Amino acid sequence: MTRMTTWTISPQEPGSPVAAALWRAYYTEVSDRWYLRYEGRRTDPAELEREIAAVTGAELAPPTGRLLVGWYGGTAAGTAGVRLLDAETAELTRVFVHAGLRGRGGAPLLVAAAEEAARALGARRLVLDTRDDLVEARALYTRLGYTETGPHNQDPYAEHWFRKELVS
């Protein structure tokens, strides 16, 4: 008999210990990837602490946002967040699955749950941005029906922007 481990997804307050730990893991990974690519080093620890503390995720709290946590076998394994940009547009952000749990279907489930959360907030479309080096993310978004578009923000690290119309 084979026991299948499954994903569950639940909302989480952005300031909770679980959300903070996942934010730290996410930010450390994407920051280190950027610094390794452009400067051949990992993120300076003091800078990492400063940036993690500065971006609290408060915009992902109700009533205009949601932070979702994906649990795999009872372990907090990933996140996805949405926040309203205007009455009909939400931004998808913080899509992340711990490296050791990737390839097990969590990211598509987190994105689908984020799409549902965006609909519940009244959004008719989702937009997102990502970087050139995050090729896995770009492939995921394309596979899930997101279309690359022009910029919707001025984020200095954004190099690709995507959009998806949400069907009711």
Side-chain angles (χ1 to χ4, degrees), residues 33-49:
R33 281 177 71 158
W34 191 90
Y35 277 109
L36 285 167
R37 180 179 187 196
Y38 292 105
E39 297 185 13
R41 64 172 179 87
R42 295 197 179 280
T43 310
D44 174 82
E47 178 187 357
L48 185 66
E49 293 307 317

Side-chain angles (χ1 to χ4, degrees), residues 23 25-39 41 43 47-48 91-92 95 102 128-142 148 152-153 155-162:
W23 170 236
Y26 168 86
Y27 191 85
T28 300
E29 180 176 333
V30 297
S31 182
D32 280 352
R33 281 177 71 158
W34 191 90
Y35 277 109
L36 285 167
R37 180 179 187 196
Y38 292 105
E39 297 185 13
R41 64 172 179 87
T43 310
E47 178 187 357
L48 185 66
E91 181 180 39
L92 177 64
V95 177
R102 292 179 188 154
L128 65 95
D129 66 69
T130 190
R131 295 191 328 232
D132 195 52
D133 63 313
L134 300 177
V135 293
E136 309 91 338
R138 293 188 357 249
L140 171 72
Y141 300 133
T142 299
E148 194 156 356
H152 65 267
N153 63 23
D155 184 327
Y157 296 104
E159 297 167 303
H160 297 270
W161 295 263
F162 289 84

Side-chain angles (χ1 to χ4, degrees), residues 34-98:
W34 191 90
Y35 277 109
L36 285 167
R37 180 179 187 196
Y38 292 105
E39 297 185 13
R41 64 172 179 87
R42 295 197 179 280
T43 310
D44 174 82
E47 178 187 357
L48 185 66
E49 293 307 317
R50 216 175 23 255
E51 292 302 315
I52 288 171
V55 184
T56 65
E59 71 279 7
L60 303 177
T64 58
R66 297 289 182 277
L67 179 65
L68 304 166
V69 169
W71 302 82
Y72 187 75
T75 299
T79 62
V82 292
R83 68 180 179 124
L84 285 176
L85 298 179
D86 61 42
E88 295 189 345
T89 307
E91 181 180 39
L92 177 64
T93 186
R94 293 194 189 195
V95 177
F96 170 74
V97 173
H98 277 296

Side-chain angles (χ1 to χ4, degrees), residues 7 24 26 30 40 56 62 70 74 91 107 120 126 144-145 156 165 167:
W7 287 91
R24 174 177 290 283
Y26 168 86
V30 297
T56 65
E91 181 180 39
L126 267 174
L144 297 178
E165 297 299 319
V167 179

